[in-house]
Amino acid sequence: MMMKPNKPTPVNPPKPLHLGTHIDDLEKLYMKLPADIRDRELDLICRSAKKLIEQSDRYYLEKDEEQAYVGYMRLMNLVQTIRQNKEYARKKQMVTKLLGTQADFNRIFTKLNLLKTSLEERYREQALRKAGATPSITVVTNSERNQATPTVTTHFIGNRQAITAKELHDVMNDPRVSLLIMDCRSAKDFEESHLRYSYLVNVPEHLLVAGMTAGKINHALPPESRILWSNRMVKEHVVLMDWNTSGNPVKDTPIYVLNYILCHYDQDIEDTKIIRLDGGYESFLLYYPAACTNPNYCPPLALYTASENIDDIEYPNINDIPMKEESFSKRGFKPTIDRSSKVAAVSLYQARQKPLEDILVEHEQILDKSKQNALDIINTETELQNLEQQEPSDAGLDETQESLLFEVMQLKDRQRDYEAEKARILEEEESYKEMEKEKQERGERISTEQAERLEREAYERRLLEKEREQRELEEKCQRLAREREAKLALAREQKRHLKENVPEGPKSYPDQQLAHVATTNSMPLFDRSAKPLADHNHNVRTTSDLDVVQRDFAPVYGNVGRGLTGLKNLGNTCYMNSILQCLSNTYFLNEFFHDASFKMRLNRNNKTQGKIGEEVAAVIKALWTGQYKCIASKNLRYVVGQYERQFGGIEQQDSHEFLTILMDWLHSDLQTIQMQISTSLDQLPPSEKAWIEHFKGKGSYISELFYGQIKSTVKCTRCHNESATYESFSNLSLELPQDSNICYLENCLDMYFNGEEVRGWHCPKCKSNQDAIKKLDISRLPSIMVIHFKRFYADPETAATIYRKKQTLVKFPLNDLNMTRYLARTEVNRNKRLTTFRYHLYGVSNHYGSMESGHYTAFCLNNIHQKWFKFDDYNVSSIDASDVQASAAYILFYSCLPDRPQSDVR
């Protein structure tokens, strides 16, 4: 019997290409998701994702490779949205049940890899056919592929932290190894030359700074990189690579930060092994140039070297140390006029070529603003007088009266700023005129035409007329203020008389109304808090569900923009409201508190038991719903008052003191991150050892964002021996000039960091007391730089301790604050990443009035609208960026993180 040969089993060919001519054409299809997808319920999104899986699987079986590829890629995009949903942490089991486990997604990624390889080959063949060429097809069987590929198991790393270039090359060619490579060099270097590997994503070094999280990196990456970045959730191994790091990476370098982010701020890769490429891309390029896109590209000069290789001497020459007395001898970011040197004034104006006409125009603009401001003061004062004459039957009179009083304070502060600006301009005018006079005496000609001189004289006459009008308005303002003060004195006398003659008992409403009469010299205490708060800590609270705490925000409903909700004043709590609004507009902190996973970071074993962090997060989330015009932070105030009694009352407090204590509380509430120590403490650099000891080996997201470190160097003037100590800080407190109406932020920074003489310092080398110079430098830059101005001081001229306020107008930059010059020379390498970006201002806590009578507001840059807004308790209004600089500025909030559109980041 003759056996018939077996016929080969027919294989269904893939369906013809019909969606594009290149793999990039498919990106436009899979990146499209509904605009409202983020606002939908998590259950609905998951059901949509499940249908997408079923549909993509059907396309895959039908050999419609393009539709299957688009479907699976769209699924990956949708999974990212699901993981960012606020309900994801709570409903993770439901999501897994609907969409499958990590093993299921591993199979999807395998399909995606096969589809991408097949489609790229088919698109190439299609292009060749259209060009009239014959494609050459090489068929490689599985057995041949296995013989050509080294046999490497997925356990090739074990417990090692690094991999060699040879090992990486081997596993890149082994299809059985589940691997993703992250290249953390700059985007430019990556574009010029990178590995030839499908699962390779560039995480640019400028994103890798303290305070970054995996979610924020995902947002900052371009769309084509986000899908590759999401592969970290299903890959068994992630290899990190920079240019040339060998051994343990230097702290705060990009590869160190990326490793830290993946280990501490990425909940999606709990089972993924993180490995570093020893020797970096430079090593791989040396051994396997053919596996790189551009073997001829040269690496940059090494930026990061171990701190031990740097000279430990901070100031080799003691004469190089600038002294504090030089701090206010020069301006900051704006040139000034040296009144003592007429030659200097001439050269300055020759260099600037700023004609007197420009100065006069600026003078006129200031006068116009000052005149309008004086009219606003008069109108507000008149409105206050009208309110005082009304019967106290309206419960809202107190609130309106207080609001008008605060407005008068702010207008008067602004008027003071205009006077300071006008004085500066008058000084420039006088110096320019002196220069002209000198040139005329030398027979030189200033004006080219006589008409210019006549026009200028006419301009000056107009300015004199405007100044006369302004003086009249100011006199009227002062008269109104005196009248209001006289009425207040009469009201006080009436109240004193009533107290002496009326029996003890409940105070009548008229007496309370008299106590609330507004004044510019005495701050009324408006206690508008509702009933005493119940002890909300007695509510049911479990570690598995922290949202069961019942919070009474007492909201006033109204659709406003996100982040534009005001805070009610609960009895002189404007100091607290001002700080909360600045923290609310700290973009990275805001994002952290909006992520449900932050609750996993709460420390329940400290003094405040995580309650402060929990309540601050609740307030910030309520401020960003966009559903309320204003809310009340009752629970937060109550909890804060439990741990610091002064903040629980209705007395006015200092916003800087509140911020400093709040930062310590928040750090303690979130201090759950174990610091990575690769060696013993004694072998660490002194700055690193001091940092770890200060935080007791445990960090927090707050310490990564807000805390920096100061290096204090004392140098002996006799033997030049140096001694250094280190101290951590969450804000810098800067001195202001004693008798100056205007100065620049750089002057204040110089005053803080410049050297000062120390008498009788015991030199360890001389073994005796010697004169020395003490100098401060920054050894660790924070991502968020908080700067406080010391405006309040004890008046030395008074017998009793009386505090005064410095009303100095500090000119500070809104962008490009450069802190590089204040870095310790021995610590420059560690701060390389933060010096890539200049600091930009995003928040200001303002104080208006005096020590006895004051009010706090906040100016904040809204990240969504990219506009400045004024937060005055429950009132929120937009302001112009030019109005942010004011003498009321008390605390500045700067950020060097890329939380603005990339076009704005420098």
Side-chain angles (χ1 to χ4, degrees):
M1 183 176 176
M2 184 177 289
M3 298 287 294
K4 294 184 179 179
N6 292 329
K7 293 183 179 179
T9 305
V11 178
N12 294 330
K15 289 191 175 181
L17 300 172
H18 58 97
L19 292 182
T21 59
H22 192 274
I23 196 74
D24 292 342
D25 296 338
L26 305 183
E27 180 186 332
K28 302 171 186 176
L29 302 175
Y30 65 72
M31 288 303 296
K32 289 182 180 178
L33 290 177
D36 63 341
I37 190 69
R38 295 181 184 275
D39 300 324
R40 295 182 184 177
E41 294 289 334
L42 182 62
D43 300 25
L44 294 175
I45 303 175
C46 288
R47 283 197 285 270
S48 298
K50 183 172 179 60
K51 290 180 181 178
L52 194 54
I53 293 174
E54 294 170 351
Q55 186 184 54
S56 302
D57 285 343
R58 188 166 59 252
Y59 284 130
Y60 187 81
L61 293 173
E62 294 173 353
K63 294 298 186 76
D64 191 339
E65 293 185 340
E66 286 178 315
Q67 289 284 16
Y69 181 77
V70 169
Y72 286 135
M73 291 296 281
R74 186 176 294 164
L75 172 67
M76 295 301 109
N77 204 4
L78 196 57
V79 167
Q80 287 294 321
T81 304
I82 291 172
R83 290 179 179 273
Q84 293 161 13
N85 191 286
K86 60 184 179 181
E87 298 180 330
Y88 173 68
R90 188 161 52 90
K91 296 185 176 182
K92 195 169 184 179
Q93 289 184 346
M94 180 273 293
V95 174
T96 303
K97 186 176 179 180
L98 278 174
L99 303 185
T101 63
Q102 178 167 320
D104 296 319
F105 276 90
N106 278 336
R107 285 190 286 271
I108 292 175
F109 272 103
T110 300
K111 292 178 182 177
L112 270 172
N113 191 25
L114 294 172
L115 288 169
K116 184 179 181 183
T117 302
S118 176
L119 285 171
E120 286 177 341
E121 182 64 23
R122 291 177 65 194
Y123 284 134
R124 186 182 68 83
E125 293 172 2
Q126 180 178 265
L128 289 173
R129 281 195 295 270
K130 287 182 178 180
T134 302
S136 58
I137 302 176
T138 304
V139 179
V140 180
T141 65
N142 286 336
S143 60
E144 290 173 335
R145 185 181 289 110
N146 290 336
Q147 290 175 3
T149 307
T151 305
V152 182
T153 68
T154 56
H155 301 288
F156 67 100
I157 291 299
N159 294 321
R160 291 163 54 199
Q161 299 296 319
I163 181 176
T164 65
K166 182 181 184 306
E167 289 171 329
L168 177 60
H169 182 264
D170 290 344
V171 297
M172 284 169 58
N173 293 285
D174 188 344
R176 295 168 295 172
V177 177
S178 178
L179 181 72
L180 172 68
I181 303 175
M182 293 185 181
D183 188 330
C184 56
R185 296 175 300 145
S186 69
K188 177 182 179 296
D189 289 336
F190 181 82
E191 185 178 348
E192 291 289 344
S193 180
H194 58 262
L195 300 181
R196 298 183 185 273
Y197 188 62
S198 300
Y199 291 102
L200 170 72
V201 60
N202 175 224
V203 186
E205 60 183 16
H206 75 266
L207 297 178
L208 302 174
V209 293
M212 268 296 205
T213 63
K216 296 182 183 73
I217 289 176
N218 180 70
H219 288 308
L221 291 175
E224 61 273 14
S225 296
R226 290 178 191 168
I227 302 298
L228 287 166
W229 171 255
S230 67
N231 273 260
R232 75 193 190 286
M233 297 182 291
V234 295
K235 293 295 184 181
E236 295 178 9
H237 301 90
V238 171
V239 175
L240 310 183
M241 173 181 68
D242 63 358
W243 262 113
N244 50 22
T245 293
S246 295
N248 292 325
V250 177
K251 192 173 179 63
D252 295 328
T253 54
I255 194 168
Y256 177 92
V257 174
L258 180 55
N259 183 79
Y260 192 83
I261 290 170
L262 295 175
C263 293
H264 292 90
Y265 292 109
D266 194 352
Q267 302 297 322
D268 297 323
I269 61 167
E270 297 175 358
D271 300 324
T272 305
K273 177 70 177 178
I274 310 296
I275 317 150
R276 294 187 304 272
L277 173 60
D278 192 51
Y281 185 70
E282 187 175 0
S283 174
F284 193 94
L285 189 68
L286 178 66
Y287 289 102
Y288 303 101
C292 303
T293 57
N294 182 6
N296 297 320
Y297 187 66
C298 297
L301 294 175
L303 291 177
Y304 310 106
T305 56
S307 56
E308 290 82 4
N309 295 334
I310 304 175
D311 189 356
D312 289 334
I313 301 300
E314 190 69 57
Y315 296 100
N317 188 346
I318 197 169
N319 296 322
D320 292 339
I321 302 178
M323 302 301 289
K324 288 189 183 296
E325 51 265 28
E326 305 169 14
S327 303
F328 291 99
S329 63
K330 66 181 189 309
R331 297 295 193 199
F333 55 87
K334 187 171 182 178
T336 186
I337 305 157
D338 184 0
R339 299 276 314 185
S340 62
S341 172
K342 295 179 180 178
V343 176
V346 173
S347 62
L348 171 67
Y349 279 101
Q350 285 177 339
R352 291 171 63 182
Q353 294 185 350
K354 180 179 181 180
L356 183 57
E357 285 80 358
D358 288 354
I359 303 175
L360 294 174
V361 168
E362 190 177 359
H363 189 171
E364 185 177 30
Q365 290 172 346
I366 289 293
L367 283 175
D368 288 340
K369 291 180 179 179
S370 180
K371 179 181 177 182
Q372 182 58 50
N373 196 67
L375 288 171
D376 292 340
I377 293 175
I378 292 172
N379 293 336
T380 309
E381 291 274 18
T382 304
E383 198 172 345
L384 264 174
Q385 285 188 351
N386 294 336
L387 275 179
E388 290 170 8
Q389 297 170 3
Q390 296 182 26
E391 292 294 328
S393 57
D394 185 357
L397 279 180
D398 284 352
E399 188 172 307
T400 306
Q401 193 174 344
E402 182 188 41
S403 178
L404 289 172
L405 170 64
F406 292 157
E407 187 175 345
V408 168
M409 285 183 181
Q410 296 171 49
L411 290 169
K412 287 190 173 181
D413 269 41
R414 189 179 300 166
Q415 195 72 14
R416 190 182 297 107
D417 294 349
Y418 290 146
E419 291 299 319
E421 289 283 12
K422 190 168 69 173
R424 175 185 60 80
I425 292 171
L426 287 172
E427 184 180 350
E428 289 190 8
E429 285 184 32
E430 186 178 343
S431 294
Y432 198 99
K433 288 176 181 177
E434 287 180 5
M435 183 194 72
E436 284 191 324
K437 184 178 178 181
E438 283 192 354
K439 285 193 172 184
Q440 287 172 350
E441 290 173 355
R442 293 197 300 267
E444 300 177 18
R445 197 166 122 187
I446 302 296
S447 302
T448 56
E449 299 291 340
Q450 185 69 14
E452 289 183 3
R453 183 179 62 80
L454 296 174
E455 182 180 351
R456 183 185 304 165
E457 290 174 355
Y459 205 109
E460 290 176 342
R461 285 195 296 272
R462 189 162 75 249
L463 289 177
L464 289 174
E465 178 62 22
K466 288 191 175 186
E467 287 176 346
R468 184 188 63 78
E469 293 176 358
Q470 184 193 352
R471 282 195 299 272
E472 292 177 355
L473 290 174
E474 289 176 352
E475 290 173 1
K476 187 174 181 180
C477 290
Q478 293 170 3
R479 186 175 68 254
L480 288 172
R482 286 194 299 269
E483 291 174 0
R484 205 154 44 75
E485 178 60 27
K487 288 182 181 179
L488 176 64
L490 178 61
R492 285 173 178 162
E493 180 62 26
Q494 289 175 347
K495 183 175 181 181
R496 185 187 63 79
H497 182 72
L498 286 171
K499 282 185 176 180
E500 291 174 354
N501 296 281
V502 177
E504 288 295 328
K507 294 182 181 179
S508 62
Y509 185 85
D511 288 337
Q512 294 180 23
Q513 181 65 21
L514 286 172
H516 293 158
V517 173
T519 175
T520 56
N521 295 319
S522 177
M523 168 64 73
L525 297 178
F526 292 88
D527 185 9
R528 292 185 279 112
S529 53
K531 301 175 184 178
L533 288 170
D535 186 354
H536 72 279
N537 292 297
H538 292 171
N539 288 305
V540 179
R541 179 194 292 265
T542 64
T543 55
S544 60
D545 187 0
L546 302 177
D547 288 329
V548 297
V549 178
Q550 299 300 314
R551 297 184 176 90
D552 179 16
F553 287 122
V556 175
Y557 288 89
N559 291 324
V560 297
R562 293 188 63 214
L564 302 182
T565 295
L567 285 165
K568 294 181 181 180
N569 194 314
L570 304 177
N572 288 322
T573 56
C574 55
Y575 71 95
M576 187 181 298
N577 294 346
S578 172
I579 294 302
L580 288 174
Q581 293 290 7
C582 290
L583 294 181
S584 172
N585 283 276
T586 303
Y587 172 73
F588 274 57
L589 184 65
N590 186 327
E591 289 287 297
F592 177 76
F593 281 139
H594 270 81
D595 191 336
S597 65
F598 98 88
K599 294 175 184 177
M600 300 171 63
R601 301 285 182 187
L602 286 174
N603 178 15
R604 297 294 184 184
N605 299 318
N606 65 334
K607 175 185 175 182
T608 53
Q609 300 175 336
K611 296 176 186 176
I612 300 293
E614 193 177 352
E615 294 303 330
V616 169
V619 170
I620 289 178
K621 284 191 269 191
L623 291 174
W624 282 81
T625 61
Q627 300 174 3
Y628 313 126
K629 289 183 179 178
C630 62
I631 61 170
S633 55
K634 296 181 181 181
N635 286 54
L636 174 61
R637 181 193 180 200
Y638 176 77
V639 174
V640 164
Q642 282 187 315
Y643 300 105
E644 195 68 42
R645 186 172 296 178
Q646 67 188 46
F647 299 136
I650 60 172
E651 295 81 16
Q652 185 65 275
Q653 301 296 334
D654 180 59
S655 69
H656 174 246
E657 184 178 355
F658 174 71
L659 172 66
T660 304
I661 294 175
L662 183 64
M663 282 292 102
D664 286 343
W665 280 339
L666 289 175
H667 162 69
S668 179
D669 276 0
L670 297 166
Q671 191 177 14
T672 56
I673 304 172
Q674 193 68 39
M675 291 182 173
Q676 295 180 353
I677 306 174
S678 58
T679 182
S680 66
L681 276 177
D682 293 335
Q683 293 178 329
L684 290 173
S687 58
E688 188 63 28
K689 180 182 178 182
W691 180 263
I692 293 172
E693 288 178 342
H694 175 82
F695 293 110
K696 297 181 174 66
K698 278 192 175 182
S700 71
Y701 193 64
I702 299 299
S703 65
E704 291 179 11
L705 276 182
F706 289 93
Y707 280 76
Q709 190 182 55
I710 293 291
K711 179 179 183 180
S712 175
T713 304
V714 181
K715 194 172 185 72
C716 178
T717 57
R718 182 173 179 268
C719 69
H720 293 188
N721 178 59
E722 279 187 6
S723 175
T725 57
Y726 297 85
E727 184 178 354
S728 300
F729 68 92
S730 62
N731 61 77
L732 297 177
S733 289
L734 307 183
E735 296 283 354
L736 296 178
Q738 187 63 42
D739 36 1
S740 176
N741 292 328
I742 188 169
C743 72
Y744 295 83
L745 177 58
E746 187 173 325
N747 302 141
C748 303
L749 288 168
D750 287 347
M751 182 69 179
Y752 186 86
F753 288 108
N754 283 0
E756 61 179 328
E757 293 183 359
V758 178
R759 302 289 183 184
W761 177 68
H762 184 78
C763 176
K765 187 174 181 180
C766 297
K767 306 295 183 183
S768 61
N769 293 341
Q770 300 291 338
D771 290 344
I773 293 179
K774 179 183 178 181
K775 172 77 167 63
L776 300 182
D777 296 281
I778 296 178
S779 59
R780 181 189 294 263
L781 279 168
S783 297
I784 305 293
M785 177 75 70
V786 181
I787 295 175
H788 159 245
F789 296 128
K790 293 183 178 179
R791 291 198 176 274
F792 301 104
Y793 66 99
D795 191 345
E797 309 241 342
T798 57
T801 303
I802 298 177
Y803 283 88
R804 308 289 187 195
K805 180 184 176 184
K806 295 179 181 179
Q807 302 284 3
T808 309
L809 172 60
V810 182
K811 290 285 196 176
F812 47 84
L814 270 62
N815 294 297
D816 295 335
L817 172 64
N818 187 0
M819 298 295 292
T820 307
R821 58 181 291 205
Y822 304 112
L823 277 175
R825 188 178 67 90
T826 56
E827 306 291 337
V828 169
N829 278 353
R830 178 181 22 202
N831 294 277
K832 281 289 185 181
R833 293 282 50 76
L834 288 181
T835 57
T836 301
F837 292 105
R838 307 291 178 92
Y839 286 87
H840 65 271
L841 186 76
Y842 70 88
V844 183
S845 175
N846 301 301
H847 180 273
Y848 298 93
S850 63
M851 188 70 186
E852 300 80 18
S853 170
H855 178 57
Y856 289 93
T857 68
F859 295 156
C860 298
L861 178 64
N862 184 284
N863 185 261
I864 293 177
H865 301 281
Q866 282 299 304
K867 288 177 61 179
W868 283 92
F869 289 87
K870 174 184 173 183
F871 296 86
D872 188 351
D873 288 338
Y874 57 86
N875 290 317
V876 180
S877 57
S878 63
I879 60 170
D880 191 80
S882 61
D883 294 329
V884 174
Q885 286 184 6
S887 61
Y890 187 42
I891 305 174
L892 308 180
F893 290 77
Y894 281 96
S895 171
C896 69
L897 295 169
D899 54 334
R900 295 179 294 167
Q902 287 297 311
S903 58
D904 293 340
V905 177
R906 297 184 181 135

